Amino acid sequence: MRWLRSWRLPLRLARREAARARGRSVLVLVMIALPVLAVTAADVVIQTAQVSAAEGLDRRLGSADALITYQPGSGQVFQDVDPTVSTSNGTGDTEQVLPELAEVEQAVGPGTTGISWDQGSVGVETAKGVSDTEVSELDLRDPLSDGIFDVTSGRPAAATDEIVINHELADRGFDLGDELTVRGGATYTVVGIGDGTSYHGYPMAVGLPGSLGLAEKRYQASFLVGGGAVSWDQVRELNAEGALVLSRAVVLDPPPRSEIPDEVKAFESGTDSAMVAVIVLIVVMALIEVVLLAGPAFAVGARRQSRALALMAATGGTPRQARRVVLANGVVLGGIGAILGVLVGLVVAWLSLPIVQHFSDERLGPFDVPWPHLLGIAAFGLLSALLAAVVPAWIASRQDVVAVLAGRRGDRRPSLRSPLLGLVLLGVGIAGAVLGASGRGEFFIAGAAIAAVLGMILLVPVVLVAVARLARRFPLTLRYAVRDAARHRSRTVPAVAAVAATVAGVVALGIGVTSDEAENEGTYVASLPMGTGVVTDAFAEGEQWDTLRAATLRGLPEATVTPMQGVAEGGDEEKTSYYVEVLVPGSDDSEEDTRLLEYSSSVFGSSVLVGDELPSALDLPASARGPAAATLRSGGAVVFTDRGVESERIEVVAHRYDPDATDEKVTRVTVPALVVPVADGRSAPVAVVTTATAERVGVPVGTMGLAVTGAGVSEQQESDAQEALAGIDENATLYVERGYQTDDETVIVQLVLGALGAVLMLGGTLTATFLALSDARADLATLSAVGAAPRTRRGVAAAYALVVGMVGAALGAAVGLIPGIAVSYPLTRGYEPGAAAHYLDIPWLLIVGLVVVLPLLTALVVGLSARSRLPLVARLD
Amino acid sequence: MSVKQALLALLEEGPRYGYQLRAQFEHRTGATWPLNVGQVYTTLTRLERDGLVEGAGADAEGHVVYRITEAGRDEVAAWFTTPVSRTQPPRDELAIKLALAVTVPGVDVGRVIQQQRSATMTALQDYTRLKRRAAAGQEREDLAWSLVLDSLVFAAEAEIRWLDHCEARLRRAELERPETLLEEILADEAEAQAHR
Amino acid sequence: MSAVLQMTDVSRVHGSGATEVHALRAVSFAVRPGELVAVMGPSGSGKSTLLTLAGGLDAPTRGVVEVEGVDLAGLGNAGRARMRRTSIGYVFQDFNLIPALTAAENVALPGELDGVGAKVARAAARKALDEVGIGDLWDRFPDNMSGGQQQRVAIARAIVGERRLILADEPTGALDTETGEEILRLLRARCDAGAAGVLVTHEARHAAWADRVVFLRDGVVVDETGSDRADVLLDSGSPR
Ligand SMILES: Nc1ncnc2c1ncn2[C@@H]1O[C@H](COP(=O)(O)OP(=O)(O)O)[C@@H](O)[C@H]1O
Ligand SMILES: [Mg+2]
């Protein structure tokens, strides 16, 4: 009570001060509220998008009391409250006959009524081809199904030749009354159009039970039952019979955790400690940034209040009370900012839901406000404002009262301790970075980065004073700005530190990203000779290849398109599957060191190509092409190695697996061979063998792909051809070798990084400049009195922005190098133990942009936009 | 000080006899400048001679009552509208004393100044105290007296300011030639008089 | 009667070595209850220093400062702060008030800082404002008051809670003659009611309101007046 009372006066003062200094208050509010707003909006959208078990009941159950699902072979099943988390002991009979509705009603108990609900997918014939469609056999007329599918026009199906479709399917050319044909099945009349309540974004259809023929191919049977709540005990009983149950009563009023079977509890994931570390790291970084950005405003506020604080001391206030007054500014502005941020965040989230829904297949749940989270987020806002006010409060409580009352500045000399502590922290940061680089990992480096940034903040005053020492030779405006910055350290230091922290982060991440990119580029292996392409289609057979070839030629008229033969490893019509190995004769495939390739994933659709000619799309050194062609002509094989294997002959081993035979059949043939060494065999096929060899080992041979050669394929042509192919078969893809291409994502990450850095940097610089200008009124008035031109104000503004931006960016870049270089070690460490190569690429362009260009640009903008009118009278307040 | 005009101004309010005039005068100026009745009657005779007042008979107790004439009214009006002349600085004992103290060897001028300042300050405190009492009154006459006291207060204050100034000058000019200093001090005194 | 403020051989030296400044040199000085003492001297003579030492805002280099018989040096910072809340009232030349607080809140400040309930402090403040004649302006902010009114509020703050020692540093410096005298009248009235007051000024006319005038030169008391002549003068047949 007494404690509360002691805050009354400070809070009243802070409230009035906030209202008096409106510009500064708005600045702080924006800085506190923005992050709170963003996180609140994101959190609410995520929570809303996540459909909890209780929220999803209606869309999964309709108005039924339970959804009961049988799967053959389950035996005893164990489930959580929500059966999406379940397991079975797998002791059941896989041939078990799925129960009928009557049996299920019996099993649940007397008075139970139910309907069946089978789900599956069919192909619907459309004007353009065939559309994969999710279908349900569910009687939508039955009240139990209310809420699963909303029929918005027409009516539910009432006969087996009627069907209801969703809007996505309707968009493919169907309307009420139209005929709809299922590939390989019946024809239906569309009687209703609507939407599923769980998902949207793909075609769906609902017919009466039995109408779509799902029963024959179903692998599970589901029933919606009503007529009374299904209790947890009933659920356990049904589980024992192999049925999974989603019960409304159980979800809404779950049993204690202790009653959940242990088999299911095993799935409960503990809190991921790495995740926690990441979140803590992000929160700490964000906190530091917000505190630093808001710091200058509080520093200026405290300075403006210094007279009032001195008066308080003269009327008997203690230093602790003075501290409280400044801290109260943080409480008031932080509190308002946090509340404002949360409220506006809620509105933003609400407004953005339609957009989010547009990009999500699953229907969003009801608007969900996670109050405990929001409380935490608001607390973050309040805390950041409080922390931003701590240092100004401390300085204010130590001010020389007599000096302030006499109209002089009452700052005490800064202590030597904090720069020393800064050096120590910086040392800790460097040591941590080195340790992290040599194996402790990214988290260690991130922690070290925070230490380094904190150390840097403590060193900013020293740097500012040092820069001020150099100011003697600067032009007037710059000299004024530098000296003023050094004199008013309480407001300059956090601003410079905010810029520095931002730049440090951007530089560190930038080094990480570009080094990663350098590694990708350095380890890139071309799959094909530069400029050639290949069309593959895992499912194409026979004549389809001719169609694909024609389509490719249509897209690329100048190209030569040749079919490539290969071993059809997938198998043939009888579901017999094959696997072909190429070995050095006499060796066993289990012996690691006789393998020809470290790892292989051919881009040609098959690891063994078959042909009497050398396929033109094969990436072979020019010198090897002649001998390779000759080897094939003489009946030999061309094989590849990246492990330095040398051999004159090789053994082709074919494994054949028949579905009804339990063992495999192995055929071995030895042929002369040309072993071609390649640097990295990752995308090369294992071998090229002749048709004769393939016949001898008895494997089926077919077209595996189309080689596209003889034309420079432009990106536009590539995408045209790609589209033409997709029109025929969506599995067909065209790959054109272009050498290393920077990942779009990497470019986006770099752009986002740069933009975020620029915005934060601009924010730091602008607040500091704005505050410095309002603080410098008296000085500017003096300048105007001695005849300074009005543009002097612009000059001072620009110079100030330059000092804050450049000093901050230079410091930040220097500090950012430490974790940046360190993090490149764990980031670019190869997977294979042998690949020790470390890639480090420092983005100098980015750094120069941040340290030189951006500050100059900011200064220019500030200079041009600053008011050029000089204040005529100095006002004291 | 002009007793002549002061009496005329009092008569403008209405006919009075000699003793009445004296009492009125002292009442309004707070007995700062005492008048004797003889002086009043001499002045009245001279005014009558110049045609500025005229006898208006005697009252019940036999006092000779005077009344202002038209010429007298003009005279009063003229007096109120013309500023008091400063062309001839009145002789000031303190200024002369200081001027001599500065020039005559062996005199501790600082001490002279300090003693004088204390004395003037004490007088100033007295005036202030009187003023506080005067301020308690509500009538117009109280205001009149208070104004007279203010005149004295400001004069004393000016004197103290002048003494402070002299002291500062003396310190600064410890090594300068006394002749020029004397002239300067006299000039400053004239200036201070002008303020009074 | 024992002195409310007793300074004995007080010196205050700023800095050291070549930049040493003797703001006060062995000053002894006492103010008794009911007494208003004026301190006069040119700028830089140490007047403000004397007041900050008397109010415990600054500590003397040598010498003893006692307020109501208590040695300030023995109190510690917290103790001196409490002294200012309960025994010592300050009035400065200008910018005396906290702009974010109303007149009444400014006056209630010592009470609130002392932990008295806001209501009690406010009531005392209203009473003090009535006493200085601006009871009706209690909810005005300093920005909306004239210099004289602000100064009255400052006096009210200095006297609220029956504080016994009032230290005023050129309280009339920023005011015109008439308004300045109103302020002096209030100070005087407070001292007549039993408080002890120290009035720093460089204007003789204002110093004359005091019972005693002390002249400071370069941190040294060079002279002092004390007078009973006014009473003599009053007794000797003046009309009042
Ligand atoms: N903090 C300080 N550092 C150095 N000198 C000071 C300080 N405070 C006051 N002084 C010096 O002490 C002397 C007395 O100052 P002060 O008491 O303010 O004089 P006054 O109020 O009479 O004008 C002056 O010479 C002033 O320069
Ligand atoms: Mg002073």
Side-chain angles (χ1 to χ4, degrees), chain A residues 5 8 12 16 313-314 316 321, chain C residues 84-85 100 105 112-113 115 118:
Chain A
R5 194 196 285 170
R8 262 225 311 253
R12 189 180 335 129
R16 305 249 174 89
Q321 283 167 326
Chain C
R84 287 195 294 276
R85 293 197 294 267
E105 286 169 340
E112 281 204 64
L113 289 174

Side-chain angles (χ1 to χ4, degrees), chain A residues 133-157:
Chain A
T133 304
E134 297 286 317
V135 289
S136 284
E137 283 181 355
L138 175 67
D139 188 351
L140 291 177
R141 293 168 302 173
D142 194 296
L144 284 179
S145 69
D146 283 355
I148 292 176
F149 192 98
D150 285 336
V151 180
T152 49
S153 61
R155 57 174 175 79

Side-chain angles (χ1 to χ4, degrees), chain A residues 502-503 506 752-765 850 854 858:
Chain A
T502 307
V503 171
V506 171
V752 168
L753 256 182
L756 194 69
V759 166
L760 287 176
M761 217 177 130
L762 217 65
T765 310
L850 286 174
L854 206 52
T858 315

